[in-house]
Amino acid sequence: MSKPILVIKFGTASITLPSGEPDIRIISEIARQVSEIHSGYRIIIVSSGAVGAGKAYIQDYKGTMTQRKAAASVGNPLLVGLYANHFAPNKIYIAQSLCERQHFANRGKFLQLKETFEELWENNIIPIVNENDVVSDRELKFSDNDELATLLAVGFGAEILMFCTSVGGLLDEQGKILRNVSNVNEVFKFVRTDKSFLGLGGMASKLTFAKLAARMAIRVIIFGMNGKDELLEALKGNAGTLIQPGKSTLSARNRWLGSGGLVSGRLQIDEGASKALLKRKSLLAVGVTEVDGDFESGEIIEIYSHEKEMIAVARARETSSAIRANLKTLNFEVAHANDIVLL
């Protein structure tokens, strides 16, 4: 059997100094600890920090979109160079992969990305992934690298998804780390709404994407890099927060579809349609109560129940305008059962 896939995401705050520069000590520890488990996994590292690494080179930096792109273009090679230098003593080589949402929205492009990673793993090379900030615009940006890591984990069928944070796990009301979470919905109440001054995401973001990953039978671990061998200990279950995975028998194609890709719109459906979907029926227009967004046939949409809970993603069989015009038309198919993934 091939080795399981492990995706590890390092946020900006967890690998940078307060000045925004990469923390060499943390980068060195990441390389050392990842090297210890390298032989047992096909590893993807998703690393933030490029903007922080490069912003010192941008005059009068104020954090505008253009300045962020420029800082990322400077910071990406600097950050990758640091990873390369610290992995090299362990005879492990790395590759840079800058991703955009189109790589996930189009299945053909996604499969090309996966084939490239497979070739890297065959040669014992670890891909270091970041968003392609230089060309991404506001509409096509990932919400943050938590989403990027989750899309990779779900689409590739990873066994484990790890989120590194500055606090080392999900904290309860007393500020202690929750070691084991079986239901993500029950722990959102513990989440603070603030975020680091350098990063885009926060704990709410991690839990949102952890919920999706857990639905896809992926074990999610939220951990830190402040303690001794904390990455290794978290992987063993001795540190951080473990979010228990659910069960999933989805095909590779449906895992990709279920990851959400590039969502173009949303539908809300009535109770009858919700029950029909649970019985693996197709979605008909008469069951749709609300159409949100403009999308074309073949694009990915989210489906919400009458209780406003997201219950599925699907590939639309019709355009949003056609669906709106046929809400009362009998047997007008919005999404075929084979193109619907229940969440």
Side-chain angles (χ1 to χ4, degrees), residues 177-317:
I177 292 178
L178 287 168
R179 296 301 308 283
N180 201 301
V181 173
S182 57
N183 187 339
V184 175
N185 290 331
E186 294 177 354
V187 296
F188 268 98
K189 61 184 178 182
F190 297 126
V191 176
R192 292 170 55 185
T193 57
D194 59 344
K195 59 186 177 185
S196 75
F197 67 99
L198 288 171
L200 286 174
M203 193 60 74
S205 166
K206 288 170 181 58
L207 283 180
T208 298
F209 293 113
K211 181 178 179 180
L212 169 61
R215 281 173 170 170
M216 298 294 174
I218 298 171
R219 183 155 52 106
V220 180
I221 302 169
I222 302 173
F223 73 107
M225 286 294 293
N226 297 318
K228 179 178 173 56
D229 292 337
E230 199 159 351
L231 188 158
L232 299 174
E233 290 302 310
L235 196 56
K236 295 175 184 175
N238 299 327
T241 300
L242 168 64
I243 297 175
Q244 296 287 353
K247 295 181 180 180
S248 177
T249 58
L250 295 178
S251 66
R253 177 185 178 279
N254 280 353
R255 281 201 306 271
W256 164 75
L257 182 60
S259 70
L262 186 60
V263 174
S264 300
R266 295 169 177 80
L267 302 179
Q268 187 168 329
I269 62 178
D270 60 26
E271 186 175 3
S274 296
K275 291 179 179 178
L277 291 194
L278 293 176
K279 295 178 181 177
R280 306 302 306 148
K281 303 290 186 181
S282 297
L283 177 61
L284 302 180
V286 291
V288 176
T289 58
E290 188 174 326
V291 182
D292 182 22
D294 296 314
F295 51 87
E296 299 298 321
S297 172
E299 293 190 323
I300 298 173
I301 55 174
E302 294 174 340
I303 300 175
Y304 287 77
S305 71
H306 62 290
E307 297 175 335
K308 297 184 178 181
E309 178 184 1
M310 187 169 73
I311 60 173
V313 293
R315 182 166 290 279
R317 196 173 183 120

Side-chain angles (χ1 to χ4, degrees), residues 63-85:
T64 66
M65 179 63 70
T66 301
Q67 286 180 324
R68 285 182 63 85
K69 289 181 179 182
S73 67
V74 175
N76 264 316
L78 294 175
L79 188 63
V80 169
L82 286 174
Y83 277 114
N85 290 338

Side-chain angles (χ1 to χ4, degrees), residues 102-121:
Q102 60 174 310
H103 298 142
F104 296 87
N106 181 288
R107 178 132 178 95
K109 290 182 179 180
F110 174 77
L111 291 176
Q112 290 179 34
L113 178 68
K114 188 174 182 180
E115 287 172 2
T116 301
F117 278 33
E118 292 283 358
E119 186 66 27
L120 292 172
W121 290 326

Side-chain angles (χ1 to χ4, degrees), residues 40 83 129 159 288 314 322-323 330 336 338:
Y83 277 114
V129 183
E159 182 176 286
V288 176
I323 296 171
L330 294 177
H336 191 274
N338 293 340

